[in-house]
Amino acid sequence: MLKPNSKLVLDYVRAHDGEDMTAADIAEGTGLDVRVVNGVVTSAFQKKGYMVRTEAEIEIEKEDGSKGHKAVKFISLTDEGRTHDFDAEESKDAE
């Protein structure tokens, strides 16, 4: 059975599937702390193969107006995460 924060993160990631999003983006979208999001993604989804973190580099604008780069990790669903029936898993756990 998914815990409330896990369900919140999963629902958000599913709703934004295909978009580049970081833990900070998910935290902003769900109202959770970024550390909570990272913990949920790692323990509830990444270790079980439902989500993956992909390293990337994005261009940012520095305070002085110049351009720079920042390393980030985008979080996304795996194919298994897209097709897994979490609701059926919850029903099974409730029995």
Tab-separated table of all heavy atoms in Angstrom, residues 15-71:
chain	number	residue	atom	x	y	z
A	15	ALA	N	1.088	12.578	-13.876
A	15	ALA	CA	0.404	13.694	-14.539
A	15	ALA	C	1.348	14.489	-15.438
A	15	ALA	O	0.902	15.155	-16.376
A	15	ALA	CB	-0.232	14.618	-13.498
A	16	HIS	N	2.642	14.426	-15.144
A	16	HIS	CA	3.631	15.194	-15.903
A	16	HIS	C	4.591	14.277	-16.659
A	16	HIS	O	5.721	14.671	-16.971
A	16	HIS	CB	4.386	16.136	-14.964
A	16	HIS	CG	3.496	17.150	-14.327
A	16	HIS	ND1	3.177	18.342	-14.940
A	16	HIS	CD2	2.815	17.136	-13.156
A	16	HIS	CE1	2.346	19.019	-14.163
A	16	HIS	NE2	2.110	18.305	-13.073
A	17	ASP	N	4.137	13.053	-16.942
A	17	ASP	CA	4.974	12.074	-17.639
A	17	ASP	C	5.446	12.658	-18.969
A	17	ASP	O	4.671	13.253	-19.710
A	17	ASP	CB	4.168	10.785	-17.874
A	17	ASP	CG	5.033	9.638	-18.345
A	17	ASP	OD1	6.255	9.642	-18.063
A	17	ASP	OD2	4.505	8.724	-18.995
A	18	GLY	N	6.731	12.492	-19.245
A	18	GLY	CA	7.304	13.000	-20.486
A	18	GLY	C	7.941	14.370	-20.336
A	18	GLY	O	8.635	14.829	-21.237
A	19	GLU	N	7.702	15.032	-19.221
A	19	GLU	CA	8.300	16.347	-18.973
A	19	GLU	C	9.608	16.162	-18.200
A	19	GLU	O	9.754	15.218	-17.434
A	19	GLU	CB	7.364	17.217	-18.134
A	19	GLU	CG	6.043	17.521	-18.803
A	19	GLU	CD	5.111	18.321	-17.908
A	19	GLU	OE1	5.582	18.991	-16.965
A	19	GLU	OE2	3.894	18.257	-18.136
A	20	ASP	N	10.553	17.077	-18.413
A	20	ASP	CA	11.775	17.078	-17.622
A	20	ASP	C	11.449	17.680	-16.265
A	20	ASP	O	11.032	18.839	-16.180
A	20	ASP	CB	12.867	17.920	-18.293
A	20	ASP	CG	13.418	17.240	-19.545
A	20	ASP	OD1	13.302	16.014	-19.652
A	20	ASP	OD2	13.976	17.958	-20.392
A	21	MET	N	11.609	16.882	-15.204
A	21	MET	CA	11.329	17.417	-13.873
A	21	MET	C	12.348	16.894	-12.870
A	21	MET	O	12.780	15.746	-12.942
A	21	MET	CB	9.907	17.114	-13.434
A	21	MET	CG	9.583	15.673	-13.240
A	21	MET	SD	7.828	15.457	-12.928
A	21	MET	CE	7.508	14.196	-14.144
A	22	THR	N	12.696	17.765	-11.958
A	22	THR	CA	13.633	17.440	-10.893
A	22	THR	C	12.854	17.229	-9.597
A	22	THR	O	11.647	17.505	-9.536
A	22	THR	CB	14.636	18.582	-10.684
A	22	THR	OG1	13.910	19.743	-10.248
A	22	THR	CG2	15.406	18.907	-11.961
A	23	ALA	N	13.552	16.781	-8.570
A	23	ALA	CA	12.916	16.637	-7.257
A	23	ALA	C	12.379	17.984	-6.786
A	23	ALA	O	11.310	18.050	-6.173
A	23	ALA	CB	13.898	16.058	-6.250
A	24	ALA	N	13.088	19.059	-7.096
A	24	ALA	CA	12.625	20.393	-6.703
A	24	ALA	C	11.315	20.746	-7.410
A	24	ALA	O	10.421	21.346	-6.804
A	24	ALA	CB	13.690	21.439	-7.010
A	25	ASP	N	11.185	20.366	-8.677
A	25	ASP	CA	9.942	20.613	-9.416
A	25	ASP	C	8.781	19.838	-8.788
A	25	ASP	O	7.682	20.369	-8.627
A	25	ASP	CB	10.079	20.186	-10.882
A	25	ASP	CG	11.130	20.974	-11.637
A	25	ASP	OD1	11.315	22.170	-11.336
A	25	ASP	OD2	11.770	20.381	-12.525
A	26	ILE	N	9.047	18.570	-8.452
A	26	ILE	CA	8.010	17.738	-7.841
A	26	ILE	C	7.636	18.291	-6.474
A	26	ILE	O	6.458	18.354	-6.119
A	26	ILE	CB	8.479	16.270	-7.740
A	26	ILE	CG1	8.729	15.705	-9.146
A	26	ILE	CG2	7.455	15.425	-6.985
A	26	ILE	CD1	9.463	14.381	-9.161
A	27	ALA	N	8.640	18.724	-5.712
A	27	ALA	CA	8.381	19.303	-4.392
A	27	ALA	C	7.495	20.543	-4.518
A	27	ALA	O	6.528	20.707	-3.766
A	27	ALA	CB	9.707	19.648	-3.706
A	28	GLU	N	7.815	21.393	-5.463
A	28	GLU	CA	7.014	22.608	-5.672
A	28	GLU	C	5.582	22.255	-6.074
A	28	GLU	O	4.623	22.856	-5.604
A	28	GLU	CB	7.667	23.470	-6.756
A	28	GLU	CG	6.966	24.786	-6.966
A	28	GLU	CD	7.660	25.659	-7.998
A	28	GLU	OE1	8.901	25.610	-8.101
A	28	GLU	OE2	6.936	26.392	-8.704
A	29	GLY	N	5.439	21.248	-6.927
A	29	GLY	CA	4.123	20.861	-7.415
A	29	GLY	C	3.261	20.138	-6.390
A	29	GLY	O	2.037	20.158	-6.485
A	30	THR	N	3.904	19.494	-5.425
A	30	THR	CA	3.151	18.712	-4.441
A	30	THR	C	3.074	19.377	-3.069
A	30	THR	O	2.284	18.954	-2.233
A	30	THR	CB	3.791	17.325	-4.244
A	30	THR	OG1	5.139	17.492	-3.781
A	30	THR	CG2	3.763	16.510	-5.523
A	31	GLY	N	3.912	20.379	-2.841
A	31	GLY	CA	3.942	21.027	-1.533
A	31	GLY	C	4.781	20.277	-0.510
A	31	GLY	O	4.802	20.638	0.665
A	32	LEU	N	5.498	19.237	-0.961
A	32	LEU	CA	6.366	18.480	-0.068
A	32	LEU	C	7.764	19.091	-0.052
A	32	LEU	O	8.159	19.791	-0.985
A	32	LEU	CB	6.471	17.023	-0.539
A	32	LEU	CG	5.182	16.205	-0.532
A	32	LEU	CD1	5.415	14.854	-1.209
A	32	LEU	CD2	4.689	16.013	0.893
A	33	ASP	N	8.513	18.788	0.979
A	33	ASP	CA	9.910	19.215	1.064
A	33	ASP	C	10.725	18.411	0.051
A	33	ASP	O	10.451	17.225	-0.166
A	33	ASP	CB	10.432	18.972	2.482
A	33	ASP	CG	11.824	19.533	2.675
A	33	ASP	OD1	11.932	20.723	3.003
A	33	ASP	OD2	12.790	18.764	2.482
A	34	VAL	N	11.729	19.019	-0.559
A	34	VAL	CA	12.529	18.337	-1.577
A	34	VAL	C	13.213	17.093	-1.005
A	34	VAL	O	13.369	16.082	-1.702
A	34	VAL	CB	13.533	19.304	-2.250
A	34	VAL	CG1	14.661	19.685	-1.305
A	34	VAL	CG2	14.074	18.709	-3.539
A	35	ARG	N	13.597	17.121	0.262
A	35	ARG	CA	14.217	15.939	0.877
A	35	ARG	C	13.213	14.796	0.985
A	35	ARG	O	13.571	13.626	0.817
A	35	ARG	CB	14.786	16.272	2.254
A	35	ARG	CG	16.024	17.182	2.163
A	35	ARG	CD	16.443	17.630	3.524
A	35	ARG	NE	15.375	18.529	4.018
A	35	ARG	CZ	15.365	19.121	5.183
A	35	ARG	NH1	16.327	18.913	6.047
A	35	ARG	NH2	14.386	19.913	5.532
A	36	VAL	N	11.971	15.125	1.266
A	36	VAL	CA	10.914	14.103	1.328
A	36	VAL	C	10.716	13.497	-0.060
A	36	VAL	O	10.618	12.273	-0.211
A	36	VAL	CB	9.592	14.701	1.869
A	36	VAL	CG1	8.443	13.704	1.745
A	36	VAL	CG2	9.764	15.153	3.310
A	37	VAL	N	10.660	14.330	-1.082
A	37	VAL	CA	10.497	13.847	-2.454
A	37	VAL	C	11.642	12.907	-2.823
A	37	VAL	O	11.418	11.819	-3.352
A	37	VAL	CB	10.401	15.016	-3.459
A	37	VAL	CG1	10.472	14.514	-4.898
A	37	VAL	CG2	9.128	15.810	-3.237
A	38	ASN	N	12.871	13.319	-2.536
A	38	ASN	CA	14.018	12.467	-2.858
A	38	ASN	C	13.933	11.126	-2.139
A	38	ASN	O	14.201	10.078	-2.728
A	38	ASN	CB	15.337	13.170	-2.510
A	38	ASN	CG	15.799	14.074	-3.623
A	38	ASN	OD1	15.751	13.713	-4.793
A	38	ASN	ND2	16.257	15.259	-3.268
A	39	GLY	N	13.547	11.132	-0.882
A	39	GLY	CA	13.413	9.899	-0.124
A	39	GLY	C	12.338	8.994	-0.693
A	39	GLY	O	12.528	7.781	-0.827
A	40	VAL	N	11.198	9.573	-1.028
A	40	VAL	CA	10.086	8.801	-1.595
A	40	VAL	C	10.494	8.201	-2.943
A	40	VAL	O	10.266	7.012	-3.198
A	40	VAL	CB	8.827	9.687	-1.756
A	40	VAL	CG1	7.799	9.031	-2.655
A	40	VAL	CG2	8.224	10.006	-0.394
A	41	VAL	N	11.089	9.014	-3.800
A	41	VAL	CA	11.486	8.521	-5.123
A	41	VAL	C	12.463	7.360	-4.977
A	41	VAL	O	12.304	6.317	-5.609
A	41	VAL	CB	12.092	9.655	-5.987
A	41	VAL	CG1	12.770	9.101	-7.234
A	41	VAL	CG2	11.012	10.657	-6.376
A	42	THR	N	13.452	7.520	-4.105
A	42	THR	CA	14.456	6.469	-3.938
A	42	THR	C	13.862	5.197	-3.347
A	42	THR	O	13.989	4.113	-3.914
A	42	THR	CB	15.612	6.965	-3.039
A	42	THR	OG1	16.222	8.093	-3.667
A	42	THR	CG2	16.649	5.871	-2.835
A	43	SER	N	13.195	5.320	-2.206
A	43	SER	CA	12.757	4.116	-1.493
A	43	SER	C	11.504	3.475	-2.068
A	43	SER	O	11.412	2.250	-2.149
A	43	SER	CB	12.553	4.418	-0.012
A	43	SER	OG	11.516	5.359	0.168
A	44	ALA	N	10.537	4.265	-2.479
A	44	ALA	CA	9.262	3.704	-2.930
A	44	ALA	C	9.248	3.352	-4.412
A	44	ALA	O	8.495	2.474	-4.830
A	44	ALA	CB	8.116	4.680	-2.627
A	45	PHE	N	10.076	4.020	-5.224
A	45	PHE	CA	9.952	3.838	-6.664
A	45	PHE	C	11.248	3.461	-7.382
A	45	PHE	O	11.249	2.538	-8.189
A	45	PHE	CB	9.346	5.092	-7.303
A	45	PHE	CG	7.998	5.435	-6.737
A	45	PHE	CD1	7.809	6.585	-5.987
A	45	PHE	CD2	6.916	4.596	-6.926
A	45	PHE	CE1	6.574	6.884	-5.440
A	45	PHE	CE2	5.670	4.884	-6.390
A	45	PHE	CZ	5.496	6.040	-5.648
A	46	GLN	N	12.336	4.156	-7.125
A	46	GLN	CA	13.569	3.890	-7.864
A	46	GLN	C	14.129	2.502	-7.530
A	46	GLN	O	14.484	1.749	-8.437
A	46	GLN	CB	14.614	4.964	-7.558
A	46	GLN	CG	15.837	4.851	-8.446
A	46	GLN	CD	16.801	5.997	-8.250
A	46	GLN	OE1	16.584	6.904	-7.464
A	46	GLN	NE2	17.899	5.959	-8.969
A	47	LYS	N	14.178	2.143	-6.271
A	47	LYS	CA	14.724	0.838	-5.879
A	47	LYS	C	13.889	-0.316	-6.412
A	47	LYS	O	14.386	-1.424	-6.570
A	47	LYS	CB	14.825	0.734	-4.355
A	47	LYS	CG	15.962	1.551	-3.783
A	47	LYS	CD	16.098	1.350	-2.293
A	47	LYS	CE	17.280	2.139	-1.758
A	47	LYS	NZ	17.426	1.972	-0.307
A	48	LYS	N	12.616	-0.065	-6.700
A	48	LYS	CA	11.721	-1.109	-7.212
A	48	LYS	C	11.617	-1.080	-8.739
A	48	LYS	O	10.885	-1.871	-9.329
A	48	LYS	CB	10.332	-0.952	-6.582
A	48	LYS	CG	10.369	-1.158	-5.075
A	48	LYS	CD	9.031	-0.883	-4.450
A	48	LYS	CE	9.129	-1.027	-2.922
A	48	LYS	NZ	7.889	-0.642	-2.270
A	49	GLY	N	12.326	-0.139	-9.372
A	49	GLY	CA	12.348	-0.081	-10.833
A	49	GLY	C	11.217	0.682	-11.483
A	49	GLY	O	11.009	0.575	-12.691
A	50	TYR	N	10.480	1.491	-10.715
A	50	TYR	CA	9.349	2.237	-11.266
A	50	TYR	C	9.705	3.651	-11.727
A	50	TYR	O	8.983	4.229	-12.527
A	50	TYR	CB	8.206	2.318	-10.254
A	50	TYR	CG	7.698	0.964	-9.816
A	50	TYR	CD1	7.545	0.659	-8.478
A	50	TYR	CD2	7.360	-0.012	-10.741
A	50	TYR	CE1	7.073	-0.580	-8.070
A	50	TYR	CE2	6.891	-1.266	-10.346
A	50	TYR	CZ	6.755	-1.537	-9.005
A	50	TYR	OH	6.295	-2.765	-8.606
A	51	MET	N	10.777	4.208	-11.184
A	51	MET	CA	11.252	5.534	-11.590
A	51	MET	C	12.761	5.482	-11.734
A	51	MET	O	13.429	4.631	-11.157
A	51	MET	CB	10.874	6.611	-10.559
A	51	MET	CG	9.417	6.929	-10.495
A	51	MET	SD	9.088	8.304	-9.352
A	51	MET	CE	7.311	8.217	-9.284
A	52	VAL	N	13.274	6.434	-12.496
A	52	VAL	CA	14.712	6.508	-12.724
A	52	VAL	C	15.133	7.978	-12.678
A	52	VAL	O	14.344	8.874	-12.991
A	52	VAL	CB	15.082	5.856	-14.083
A	52	VAL	CG1	14.496	6.619	-15.249
A	52	VAL	CG2	16.576	5.688	-14.223
A	53	ARG	N	16.373	8.193	-12.242
A	53	ARG	CA	16.971	9.526	-12.284
A	53	ARG	C	17.974	9.539	-13.432
A	53	ARG	O	18.811	8.655	-13.540
A	53	ARG	CB	17.686	9.843	-10.979
A	53	ARG	CG	16.768	10.155	-9.828
A	53	ARG	CD	17.613	10.533	-8.597
A	53	ARG	NE	16.799	11.044	-7.529
A	53	ARG	CZ	16.304	10.313	-6.534
A	53	ARG	NH1	16.525	9.016	-6.480
A	53	ARG	NH2	15.580	10.869	-5.582
A	54	THR	N	17.885	10.569	-14.268
A	54	THR	CA	18.773	10.705	-15.419
A	54	THR	C	19.567	11.995	-15.274
A	54	THR	O	18.982	13.076	-15.152
A	54	THR	CB	17.954	10.740	-16.731
A	54	THR	OG1	17.107	9.593	-16.769
A	54	THR	CG2	18.863	10.758	-17.936
A	55	GLU	N	20.890	11.868	-15.286
A	55	GLU	CA	21.730	13.059	-15.166
A	55	GLU	C	21.672	13.870	-16.451
A	55	GLU	O	21.646	13.314	-17.548
A	55	GLU	CB	23.177	12.652	-14.864
A	55	GLU	CG	23.326	12.045	-13.482
A	55	GLU	CD	24.767	11.780	-13.094
A	55	GLU	OE1	25.665	12.462	-13.620
A	55	GLU	OE2	24.975	10.889	-12.271
A	56	ALA	N	21.624	15.176	-16.277
A	56	ALA	CA	21.576	16.086	-17.420
A	56	ALA	C	22.238	17.393	-17.031
A	56	ALA	O	22.541	17.630	-15.859
A	56	ALA	CB	20.135	16.331	-17.843
A	57	GLU	N	22.454	18.225	-18.011
A	57	GLU	CA	23.015	19.545	-17.765
A	57	GLU	C	22.086	20.563	-18.406
A	57	GLU	O	21.668	20.396	-19.556
A	57	GLU	CB	24.417	19.635	-18.392
A	57	GLU	CG	25.224	20.789	-17.863
A	57	GLU	CD	26.677	20.697	-18.297
A	57	GLU	OE1	27.429	19.919	-17.694
A	57	GLU	OE2	27.029	21.437	-19.235
A	58	ILE	N	21.725	21.574	-17.635
A	58	ILE	CA	20.836	22.606	-18.163
A	58	ILE	C	21.573	23.939	-18.197
A	58	ILE	O	22.522	24.155	-17.442
A	58	ILE	CB	19.541	22.734	-17.324
A	58	ILE	CG1	19.858	23.070	-15.858
A	58	ILE	CG2	18.708	21.466	-17.434
A	58	ILE	CD1	18.652	23.422	-15.021
A	59	GLU	N	21.110	24.801	-19.072
A	59	GLU	CA	21.696	26.142	-19.152
A	59	GLU	C	20.937	27.056	-18.193
A	59	GLU	O	19.707	27.021	-18.139
A	59	GLU	CB	21.589	26.679	-20.576
A	59	GLU	CG	22.315	28.001	-20.759
A	59	GLU	CD	22.352	28.437	-22.205
A	59	GLU	OE1	23.283	28.055	-22.921
A	59	GLU	OE2	21.415	29.160	-22.606
A	60	ILE	N	21.667	27.822	-17.433
A	60	ILE	CA	21.066	28.764	-16.498
A	60	ILE	C	21.618	30.158	-16.738
A	60	ILE	O	22.680	30.317	-17.333
A	60	ILE	CB	21.327	28.353	-15.019
A	60	ILE	CG1	22.827	28.302	-14.730
A	60	ILE	CG2	20.659	27.035	-14.701
A	60	ILE	CD1	23.171	28.200	-13.265
A	61	GLU	N	20.871	31.135	-16.262
A	61	GLU	CA	21.358	32.510	-16.321
A	61	GLU	C	21.881	32.870	-14.945
A	61	GLU	O	21.185	32.715	-13.940
A	61	GLU	CB	20.235	33.471	-16.732
A	61	GLU	CG	20.745	34.871	-16.963
A	61	GLU	CD	19.694	35.777	-17.600
A	61	GLU	OE1	18.900	35.292	-18.410
A	61	GLU	OE2	19.698	36.968	-17.258
A	62	LYS	N	23.123	33.322	-14.906
A	62	LYS	CA	23.749	33.699	-13.639
A	62	LYS	C	23.270	35.080	-13.222
A	62	LYS	O	22.672	35.821	-14.008
A	62	LYS	CB	25.277	33.684	-13.784
A	62	LYS	CG	25.831	32.314	-14.082
A	62	LYS	CD	27.340	32.382	-14.200
A	62	LYS	CE	27.931	31.022	-14.495
A	62	LYS	NZ	29.393	31.096	-14.625
A	63	GLU	N	23.544	35.431	-11.967
A	63	GLU	CA	23.115	36.741	-11.440
A	63	GLU	C	23.663	37.903	-12.251
A	63	GLU	O	23.030	38.945	-12.358
A	63	GLU	CB	23.535	36.876	-9.977
A	63	GLU	CG	22.751	35.989	-9.046
A	63	GLU	CD	23.153	36.152	-7.589
A	63	GLU	OE1	23.764	37.184	-7.248
A	63	GLU	OE2	22.853	35.250	-6.803
A	64	ASP	N	24.866	37.722	-12.821
A	64	ASP	CA	25.468	38.811	-13.597
A	64	ASP	C	24.945	38.856	-15.036
A	64	ASP	O	25.400	39.658	-15.847
A	64	ASP	CB	26.990	38.705	-13.583
A	64	ASP	CG	27.519	37.452	-14.277
A	64	ASP	OD1	26.720	36.695	-14.858
A	64	ASP	OD2	28.748	37.234	-14.234
A	65	GLY	N	23.985	37.987	-15.360
A	65	GLY	CA	23.389	37.979	-16.691
A	65	GLY	C	24.067	37.040	-17.664
A	65	GLY	O	23.554	36.809	-18.761
A	66	SER	N	25.212	36.491	-17.299
A	66	SER	CA	25.899	35.562	-18.196
A	66	SER	C	25.238	34.181	-18.119
A	66	SER	O	24.472	33.888	-17.210
A	66	SER	CB	27.385	35.459	-17.834
A	66	SER	OG	27.540	34.882	-16.547
A	67	LYS	N	25.559	33.357	-19.084
A	67	LYS	CA	25.009	32.002	-19.142
A	67	LYS	C	25.972	31.035	-18.463
A	67	LYS	O	27.176	31.216	-18.495
A	67	LYS	CB	24.788	31.556	-20.593
A	67	LYS	CG	23.840	32.450	-21.374
A	67	LYS	CD	22.418	32.228	-20.947
A	67	LYS	CE	21.496	33.094	-21.798
A	67	LYS	NZ	20.141	33.079	-21.371
A	68	GLY	N	25.399	30.021	-17.874
A	68	GLY	CA	26.196	28.984	-17.245
A	68	GLY	C	25.478	27.658	-17.363
A	68	GLY	O	24.405	27.569	-17.963
A	69	HIS	N	26.069	26.637	-16.800
A	69	HIS	CA	25.471	25.304	-16.843
A	69	HIS	C	25.370	24.744	-15.433
A	69	HIS	O	26.178	25.060	-14.569
A	69	HIS	CB	26.301	24.367	-17.728
A	69	HIS	CG	26.240	24.725	-19.164
A	69	HIS	ND1	27.118	25.605	-19.755
A	69	HIS	CD2	25.385	24.354	-20.133
A	69	HIS	CE1	26.813	25.742	-21.035
A	69	HIS	NE2	25.760	24.985	-21.290
A	70	LYS	N	24.368	23.914	-15.237
A	70	LYS	CA	24.139	23.292	-13.937
A	70	LYS	C	23.781	21.823	-14.155
A	70	LYS	O	22.978	21.507	-15.029
A	70	LYS	CB	22.990	24.005	-13.218
A	70	LYS	CG	22.623	23.420	-11.883
A	70	LYS	CD	21.464	24.177	-11.269
A	70	LYS	CE	21.061	23.522	-9.954
A	70	LYS	NZ	19.936	24.204	-9.336
A	71	ALA	N	24.400	20.958	-13.359
A	71	ALA	CA	24.074	19.532	-13.433
A	71	ALA	C	22.793	19.281	-12.632
A	71	ALA	O	22.636	19.795	-11.524
A	71	ALA	CB	25.215	18.706	-12.869
